[in-house]
């Protein structure tokens, strides 16, 4: 086993609580490829968050992009990712879109509309679902559309959970149109000043939007080969549980971050197992309405 794979496993074990639980249920031949993909995504994310300033981050992200596109010798992790991509016939445009999404995080962030939020969610999380598709054996175009939806749903959950943390970084992902309608002063939100009840109104709406994408992802589980399906069901359940817990706690992200502890994770793993065992017969076709805000992005199904 290569040093890069071992380091990728360590990155996932350290930083990806929910993904780590899900990865335990992947077939062994998929697990290391998934760890390499996660480690690359983490490298891209950390490059943006840990640079001394936005200009440095942009330069470093562009360097990663050049390495991915063969215009510059790749570092070991990028080389390992490229080997996985070549072997699994992965579309490298997904990684490009991920970098574009992370680049949009640099500096102050303020989304005006749902469409801007959804396009961002596609870039930073829907693309991860697309990168996982060839690793776990999803080949169908419709299956990839559902994979986008799972990534979008997870990112919407993350955004609702992290409102307070993101405000501290001068980032507002909740659409301003919705915030203003709920009576939220965006300037006070960026100063992390109260307004919990009003913000909770918007969070409930965004979590309801996430539910539409989770339901679509559920319909798409049939496209995942059985040996990998349970792992993806676990990942979906664990992320969805964060949003459900946030709702139970009043949907107020200004009160602090929402966590799912070990017993809660075990509960949702069991729920995933029940879904895996009880095969659905009522799967619906993909709803193109979910992808209208994403028109023009790779593998969007309209």
């Amino acid at each position: 086993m290569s040093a890069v794979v071992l380091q990728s496993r360590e990155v996932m074990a350290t930083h990806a609580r929910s993904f780590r639980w899900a990865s335990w249920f992947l077939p062994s031949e998929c697990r290391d490829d998934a760890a390499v993909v996660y480690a690359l995504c983490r490298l891209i994310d950390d490059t943006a968050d840990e640079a001394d300033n936005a200009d440095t981050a942009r330069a470093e992200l562009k360097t990663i992009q050049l390495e991915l596109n063969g215009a510059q010798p790749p570092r070991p992790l990028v080389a390992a990712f490229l080997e996985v991509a070549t072997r699994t016939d992965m579309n490298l445009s997904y990684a490009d879109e991920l970098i574009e999404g992370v680049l949009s995080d640099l500096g102050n962030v303020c989304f005006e509309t749902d469409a801007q939020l959804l396009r961002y969610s596609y870039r930073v999380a829907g693309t991860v679902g697309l990168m996982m598709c060839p690793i776990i054996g999803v080949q169908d175009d419709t299956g990839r559309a559902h994979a986008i939806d799972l990534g979008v749903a997870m990112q919407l959950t993350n955004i609702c959970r992290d409102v307070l943390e993101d405000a501290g970084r001068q980032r507002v992902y909740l659409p301003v149109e919705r915030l203003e309608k709920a009576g939220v002063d965006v300037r006070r939100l960026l100063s992390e000043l109260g307004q919990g009840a009003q913000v909770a109104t918007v969070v409930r709406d965004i979590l309801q939007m996430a539910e539409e994408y989770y339901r679509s992802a559920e319909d798409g589980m049939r496209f995942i080969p059985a040996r990998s399906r349970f792992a993806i069901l676990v990942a979906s359940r664990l992320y969805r549980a964060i949003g459900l817990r946030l709702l139970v706690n009043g949907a107020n992200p200004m009160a602090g971050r929402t966590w799912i502890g070990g017993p809660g994770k075990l509960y949702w793993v069991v729920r995933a197992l029940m879904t895996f065992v009880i095969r659905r017969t009522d799967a619906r076709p993909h709803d193109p309405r979910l992808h209208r805000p994403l028109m023009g992005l790779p593998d969007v199904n309209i």
Side-chain angles (χ1 to χ4, degrees):
M1 186 182 300
S2 73
V4 171
V5 170
L6 286 172
Q7 290 165 3
S8 297
R9 285 183 174 185
E10 177 93 15
V11 169
M12 179 173 278
T14 303
H15 297 287
R17 294 179 180 87
S18 296
F19 283 125
R20 181 183 60 187
W21 275 61
S23 71
W24 290 342
F25 303 104
L26 281 173
S28 57
E29 65 270 22
C30 300
R31 200 174 300 134
D32 288 343
D33 288 349
V36 168
V37 167
Y38 177 82
L40 179 82
C41 296
R42 187 77 197 186
L43 169 67
I44 291 168
D45 196 48
D46 287 348
T47 297
D49 286 342
E50 297 176 3
D52 292 336
N53 55 65
D55 289 338
T56 299
R58 287 188 189 94
E60 292 179 358
L61 287 167
K62 289 298 184 183
T63 296
I64 296 172
Q65 209 161 28
L66 290 172
E67 293 176 30
L68 287 167
N69 295 328
Q72 191 162 309
R75 69 198 73 186
L77 175 56
V78 174
F81 172 81
L82 290 171
E83 188 278 325
V84 171
T86 300
R87 175 162 40 82
T88 61
D89 198 26
M90 184 191 299
N91 186 342
L92 288 177
S93 70
Y94 306 150
D96 278 333
E97 291 291 345
L98 171 60
I99 291 173
E100 290 303 317
V102 173
L103 282 167
S104 73
D105 272 334
L106 299 177
N108 296 347
V109 176
C110 195
F111 293 156
E112 292 290 334
T113 65
D114 288 355
Q116 289 175 334
L117 169 61
L118 290 169
R119 290 181 75 84
Y120 170 79
S121 297
Y122 166 97
R123 285 195 162 103
V124 299
T127 54
V128 180
L130 288 170
M131 284 188 271
M132 283 296 299
C133 281
I135 290 173
I136 62 177
V138 175
Q139 303 296 335
D140 190 279
D141 288 345
T142 306
R144 285 191 286 270
H146 289 289
I148 290 170
D149 294 341
L150 180 54
V152 168
M154 289 176 167
Q155 185 60 29
L156 293 176
T157 301
N158 276 342
I159 285 168
C160 289
R161 178 192 62 189
D162 296 343
V163 171
L164 182 61
E165 180 180 326
D166 290 331
R169 295 178 173 178
Q170 299 299 293
R171 297 173 182 175
V172 177
Y173 296 104
L174 299 177
V176 171
E177 288 181 349
R178 289 183 180 270
L179 290 169
E180 290 181 345
K181 185 176 180 180
V184 176
D185 183 329
V186 176
R187 289 170 298 181
R188 289 186 66 207
L189 177 60
L190 287 169
S191 300
E192 306 173 46
L193 296 175
Q195 305 182 96
Q198 296 96 321
V199 174
T201 299
V202 179
V203 166
R204 287 190 191 95
D205 289 343
I206 299 301
L207 288 174
Q208 184 57 47
M209 184 190 300
E211 282 296 305
E212 294 185 58
Y213 286 90
Y214 278 121
R215 284 193 290 270
S216 178
E218 190 83 9
D219 290 332
M221 293 294 170
R222 67 191 189 274
F223 294 100
I224 303 174
R227 293 185 66 213
S228 299
R229 189 182 307 137
F230 181 55
I232 307 306
L233 280 166
V234 169
S236 175
R237 292 297 186 279
L238 292 179
Y239 258 84
R240 183 170 176 262
I242 295 169
L244 295 176
R245 175 65 61 83
L246 182 54
L247 287 172
V248 167
N249 292 343
N252 178 11
M254 308 307 284
R257 209 175 201 217
T258 298
W259 301 93
I260 304 297
K265 288 178 179 176
L266 282 173
Y267 169 80
W268 287 105
V269 169
V270 172
R271 290 289 298 270
L273 179 60
M274 292 171 60
T275 303
F276 179 76
V277 171
I278 303 170
R279 191 178 181 89
R280 288 183 57 185
T281 59
D282 62 341
R284 296 160 291 190
H286 186 264
D287 183 354
R289 178 180 56 87
L290 298 176
H291 282 196
R292 285 187 189 126
L294 310 178
M295 286 181 63
L297 296 169
D299 285 300
V300 163
N301 183 24
I302 296 294

